[in-house]
Amino acid sequence: MGETVQTVTFLASLLMSLALVIGCADSAEQRLRQMQNELERVLHTALRDGDVRIQRTSDHLTVVIAERLLFDTGSHDIKPDAIDVLRQMGVLFKTASLKEIRVVGHADKASASDGSNQYFKRLALSKARATQTVGVLKGDGVDSQSYIIEWYGDIRPIATNETEEGRQMNRRVEIVLFAGI
């Protein structure tokens, strides 16, 4: 009889823990869905023009921003029109309940014959772009502790570097949002 009570108590505890985890996961998913809707509203024009893409998975939301919206080719200075877009995003992030915000810089690879010096220049450019992006996003009061800056240069392409169109797609900043549980 005592063993049965222990088993029932253990199972009840396990079920309560699972319900809590599932409820938190649903809450995180709901927060991501809400953030996606708000971003789609704020970024409507950029989404329509193809300068921004939003991708959602079960545990995070990724905003992919094309270089042409944020920067001139080869520069890490954010364009004036892009500052307004990033500030609007920063306001959304400030009011959201996000566990983590990753800002990731990427570059293209102009040719297979690029030397290591070019690799390090692209790596530095992708770092500077991610850092500048965070600077504008934080300008609206988001806690700097919630940001993680990453940069990959040309090592994570999403398209071929053999065509100009592919290289343009590879020059991007990604903002990855985790709601967490």
Side-chain angles (χ1 to χ4, degrees):
M1 183 82 153
E3 200 172 293
T4 303
V5 171
Q6 281 182 321
T7 302
V8 169
T9 303
F10 170 74
L11 290 174
S13 174
L14 183 63
L15 283 173
M16 288 177 64
S17 296
L18 282 173
L20 181 62
V21 168
I22 290 169
C24 289
D26 285 345
S27 175
E29 172 103 10
Q30 185 176 27
R31 287 194 307 261
L32 287 176
R33 192 175 312 114
Q34 180 180 1
M35 176 58 67
Q36 182 175 355
N37 291 339
E38 291 175 12
L39 284 168
E40 287 171 350
R41 180 183 49 79
V42 167
L43 301 171
H44 173 74
T45 302
L47 285 162
R48 183 196 65 218
D49 295 344
D51 292 331
V52 173
R53 288 188 337 270
I54 299 176
Q55 304 163 336
R56 188 160 61 89
T57 66
S58 62
D59 72 334
H60 67 275
L61 186 66
T62 303
V63 180
V64 181
I65 308 172
E67 172 195 54
R68 66 183 172 264
L69 177 65
L70 296 176
F71 309 99
D72 290 324
T73 301
S75 173
H76 67 273
D77 295 325
I78 298 177
K79 293 179 179 179
D81 290 344
I83 290 173
D84 293 335
V85 171
L86 291 174
R87 284 185 177 155
Q88 290 176 18
M89 292 173 68
V91 169
L92 290 178
F93 299 163
K94 180 181 179 183
T95 60
S97 177
L98 297 170
K99 175 183 170 187
E100 180 178 294
I101 302 169
R102 290 180 186 253
V103 179
V104 187
H106 297 276
D108 67 340
K109 185 173 184 177
S111 72
S113 63
D114 279 352
S116 64
N117 188 36
Q118 291 299 313
Y119 167 77
F120 290 113
K121 284 183 181 179
R122 287 187 301 275
L123 196 59
L125 180 62
S126 64
K127 177 182 180 182
R129 287 178 168 186
T131 302
Q132 291 288 354
T133 301
V134 167
V136 174
L137 291 169
K138 282 178 19 180
D140 284 294
V142 177
D143 181 8
S144 63
Q145 295 300 321
S146 60
Y147 282 99
I148 297 173
I149 298 173
E150 297 178 349
W151 58 95
Y152 293 104
D154 62 11
I155 64 172
R156 291 191 175 176
I158 57 172
T160 181
N161 280 305
E162 301 304 316
T163 65
E164 180 54 32
E165 183 180 290
R167 287 188 295 274
Q168 283 179 5
M169 290 178 67
N170 290 331
R171 296 189 299 258
R172 67 198 187 278
V173 170
E174 296 176 347
I175 301 173
V176 187
L177 309 169
F178 292 88
I181 43 178

